[in-house]
Amino acid sequence: MQPPLLQLSNVTKSFGAVRALKGVSFTLHQGEVHALLGENGAGKSTLIKLIAGAHERDGGRIEIAGNPIGHLTPRQARAHGIACIYQQPTLFPDLTVAENIALGLETPSIGRRVHWKKRRQHAEMLLKRVGAMIDPESEVRSLSMPEQQLVEIAKALGAGARILIMDEPTASLTQSEVALLLNVVRDLRGQGVGIIYISHRLEEIFAMADRVTVLRDGESVGTHAVTAITQAALIRMMVGREVSAIYPPSENEPGAPVVSLANLTCGASGIFEVNLEIREGEVVGLAGLVGAGRTELARVLFGITPADSGTISLSGKFVEVRSPRSAVEQGIAYVPEDRRRHGVILEMPIAANMTMAIHPVFFPGAWLRLDAERRLALEYIRELGIKAAGPEAPGGSLSGGNQQKVALARWLATNPKLLILDEPTQGVDIGAKAEIHKIIRHLAKNGLAVLMISSDLPEILGMSDRIAVMRGGRIAAMLGGGASADEVMSAALGHEKEAA
Amino acid sequence: MDATIRVRNWKGLRHELLLLAVLAGEILYFNAVGSRFGTLDNLFDILRHSTEIGLLAVVMTPIILTGGIDLSVGSLLGLCAILFGKMWRDGGLPPLTAAVCTLLFGAMAGALNGGLITVLRLPPLIVTLGTYSLFRGLAEAITHGADTFTNFPASFLCLGQENRFGIPVQAFALILVAAGVWLMVHRTTFGRSFRAIGFAPEGARYAGLPVDRRVAFSYILAGFVSALAAVIYTARLGQAKADAGTGYELYAITAVVLGGTSIFGGSGSVHGTLLGVAAIAVLSNGLVHAHQPREVAGMLTGVLLLLALCGGVIPKLVAFLRARSRHPN
């Protein structure tokens, strides 16, 4: 029997202390479409980067057509016939289609003339193979998104690709464009190309994949023929874990509404007609896939990208949020996702970081009160259990979890009505994570309204009193705190849960 | 963690001590070779000649702290000197009124820089490179490149040429402005904001700081003080010409960077800048007394600046070499 086109056995990869892949095995046969599924952070991108040579594996075996491969660089991966098609085309927009295709193929050498005609014919031939009616002489910038994707595929084929990795190729395509692309994928399968297909759209996977492998927490949960599995079963495989009991329970009854959003829209950020209400003492989890518009919604609420239309009301009064400054004045606090760029100023002392949002209140007349600031910082250091050398320690000298607590302290000092937390425990170690959860719960108990964005499903399920699920810039579903992982995932993916 | 903070504070202090040592070395050397260098008269001479650049450097400091730069201050000085002369001679305004109008104009010119930078989100280097040409061009257009304003009344000239309470009159302006800006940078939330913006402009915005207002303010202040420097310059020389203050922006930036302010923004101090101004001023004055040609001053200033920039690298290099010698290879 012919050896598989690509075989990964027990590959591992760690980034620092984070084990992204904990021994994954994966097989791709000739003429097979093998779908790869998993939540955000399950290890899909790490896996394909290992295959494409962008990361080096820590352990395990990779065999291509039966030959063991040692060290794999991106260049060697290409030489072995591995090509990657990403969500966003990576072509040069100002060059023609033929030039773009030739770029990767012709070896440049001084004194050799360009064979324009040969180049053109080659491009034509490749474009025909992917069934594209595109003039090789047209500029790439004039092509539509799917056309550009076809050029990418033609380019990969020109480079002799036998293994094609497609990372969410349909994420930015319309329904009819998707159908076109899927036909091309089927054609390629017929030509013997092996395709690794990553998509969140389950219907695509059922429409054309042969087999599907589900990753979860850096491990392979299983590989199945698509004919032998249901959508519901797939979703269960993706989210599978039991929600751990470490989450502190909600202790209080939510009070009066603090925030209500009505038809909030911001076209530039892709946020449409969001209606949401958060009550006193309530933690509302905001779930959804990457790109669903969760952070964008937070940025609208915080005035970084002000809304075009719709209303925000706080404690029953309509408020206008035109800038972060005005958001702070209204009592909205936002602990951003990118803590190192936005949450904490790494070069400045943590005491200065903590008072940064309360300058007008804490320093009347703009005069610094360094002693008072120091006392405030010491108080938060004690209250939140921040591990730091002292109030003068620069933010950058702290660990991720402690930086997050400093960011939190900055916003607690503003005494907000609404606290928006964006991925509050991302990149934070387990211990600090549990502490942050406890702090959030404590804040809610004291009457704060909390909107918590998280890609960590157990966190959403464990912490939320209610769960808002976003998809395509809208709230796709409002679920109760007792919702199951399947329900959240189905809403995020856009599927009604099948009646089991 | 503790060690990094100590190193940080020590590093800031070390730079200033190093600069003080350079200054002391300059003074000792020139005192030994120049006969008139060590006199009180010469000290006042240095003060008189460095007041305008000192003013520009002091207000350049907050701008560079925000990660910006203002190349237009020298040209604005020239334009303001011309406007001041024009308002006094052709407009018939008394010198005091003309000076007040000039200061207001300077603030407006600074607001132009600040507005273009914050509203249109253009890079400060490009905006002020444009106004650098614009302001100088306007000054030349007003004077047709030939007109010079002279014969100012003695009551005005005393601002630049006489002593009060035993020290040059313009020194009071420098002391006042330097003290004010020092307090602002080191003791108020304005200074905090400048640094935060310089370290992380996005981070400052996410903290709810009024980033645009603070940045614009730093340029308006620079415009205002450039106009003050123009008035003092006119009083010192007794004349206003379109080429007044040519190249001053570069002296000011040199002094700021020499004084330990990071050109990338965030860290730095006003007292460092003053030490930088002093080091440059003493050097160029001392070389005259040592009978060296003027070009040497420029060369040595350049060497000084490069050494100051490399200064941070030298301890690292020493540590590296020491580690190497301990563990050969």
Side-chain angles (χ1 to χ4, degrees), chain A residues 131-151:
Chain A
M133 308 290 279
I134 300 169
D135 179 4
E137 297 300 318
S138 51
E139 260 182 33
V140 163
R141 85 163 54 253
S142 68
L143 302 182
S144 69
M145 204 60 140
E147 282 175 330
Q148 291 192 29
Q149 232 138 17
L150 291 178
V151 173

Side-chain angles (χ1 to χ4, degrees), chain A residues 246 248 425 428-439:
Chain A
I246 59 161
T425 60
V428 162
D429 62 88
I430 304 266
K433 190 168 169 175
E435 283 176 42
I436 290 171
H437 288 149
K438 229 177 275 167
I439 294 166

Side-chain angles (χ1 to χ4, degrees), chain B:
Chain B
M1 255 185 283
D2 200 12
T4 54
I5 316 156
R6 241 183 273 141
V7 166
R8 203 169 272 262
N9 290 341
W10 168 228
K11 204 172 139 193
L13 195 64
R14 194 177 57 195
H15 187 93
E16 277 139 29
L17 288 177
L18 194 81
L19 212 51
L20 265 178
V22 168
L23 195 57
E26 285 178 6
I27 291 171
L28 286 177
Y29 173 74
F30 292 128
N31 204 24
V33 296
S35 54
R36 260 199 69 249
F37 177 81
T39 63
L40 196 62
D41 269 356
N42 190 47
L43 177 66
F44 287 167
D45 217 32
I46 294 175
L47 252 177
R48 275 205 180 87
H49 279 93
S50 55
T51 293
E52 293 107 44
I53 289 172
L55 286 171
L56 298 184
V58 164
V59 289
M60 186 74 79
T61 309
I63 291 179
I64 294 184
L65 280 178
T66 66
I69 196 143
D70 191 343
L71 296 178
S72 72
V73 289
S75 300
L76 184 57
L77 191 155
L79 177 57
C80 285
I82 293 303
L83 283 177
F84 173 75
K86 195 89 178 157
M87 281 189 278
W88 166 72
R89 191 191 68 188
D90 302 347
L93 294 178
L96 185 64
T97 317
V100 170
C101 292
T102 307
L103 294 184
L104 288 178
F105 176 81
M108 272 162 30
L112 175 67
N113 281 331
L116 289 170
I117 289 162
T118 56
V119 178
L120 299 184
R121 308 237 162 265
L122 297 171
L125 184 78
I126 305 303
V127 168
T128 60
L129 190 63
T131 50
Y132 160 86
S133 293
L134 175 68
F135 295 155
R136 183 69 66 194
L138 277 173
E140 281 162 358
I142 292 171
T143 58
H144 306 291
D147 201 0
T148 304
F149 302 94
T150 51
N151 296 324
F152 290 98
S155 61
F156 168 68
L157 294 178
C158 79
L159 171 62
Q161 300 172 357
E162 279 175 36
N163 293 354
R164 279 288 181 278
F165 308 110
I167 62 167
V169 178
Q170 63 260 58
F172 289 103
L174 179 59
I175 291 166
L176 219 64
V177 170
V181 174
W182 189 90
L183 284 173
M184 178 180 77
V185 166
H186 297 280
R187 287 291 177 267
T188 71
T189 56
F190 280 76
R192 276 283 172 79
S193 308
F194 294 148
R195 287 169 201 279
I197 294 164
F199 282 129
E202 278 293 285
R205 202 159 116 77
Y206 273 81
L209 294 178
V211 173
D212 288 349
R213 263 190 283 157
R214 291 291 179 269
V215 169
F217 176 75
S218 68
Y219 289 92
I220 294 171
L221 184 69
F224 182 79
V225 172
S226 300
L228 178 63
V231 174
I232 291 171
Y233 177 97
T234 310
R236 174 166 65 88
L237 293 181
Q239 62 168 6
K241 286 200 319 195
D243 66 352
T246 302
Y248 276 25
E249 63 284 337
L250 295 184
Y251 290 122
I253 294 165
T254 306
V256 173
V257 175
L258 191 60
T261 297
S262 164
I263 197 73
F264 304 112
S267 55
S269 69
V270 175
H271 41 278
T273 296
L274 289 172
L275 282 175
V277 173
I280 296 174
V282 169
L283 183 67
S284 56
N285 173 281
L287 287 171
V288 175
H289 287 278
H291 305 291
Q292 295 293 324
R294 285 187 60 186
E295 300 79 59
V296 177
M299 272 167 47
L300 286 181
T301 306
V303 171
L304 200 60
L305 180 65
L306 294 177
L307 279 180
L309 292 177
C310 298
V313 182
I314 291 166
K316 275 185 213 156
L317 198 69
V318 170
F320 173 73
L321 290 176
R322 224 182 261 162
R324 271 280 290 271
S325 63
R326 257 204 303 273
H327 314 282
N329 209 18

Side-chain angles (χ1 to χ4, degrees), chain A residues 215-231:
Chain A
L215 290 183
R216 193 208 308 152
D217 290 338
E219 285 171 301
S220 167
V221 193
T223 301
H224 297 277
V226 289
T227 48
I229 195 162
T230 62
Q231 285 200 3

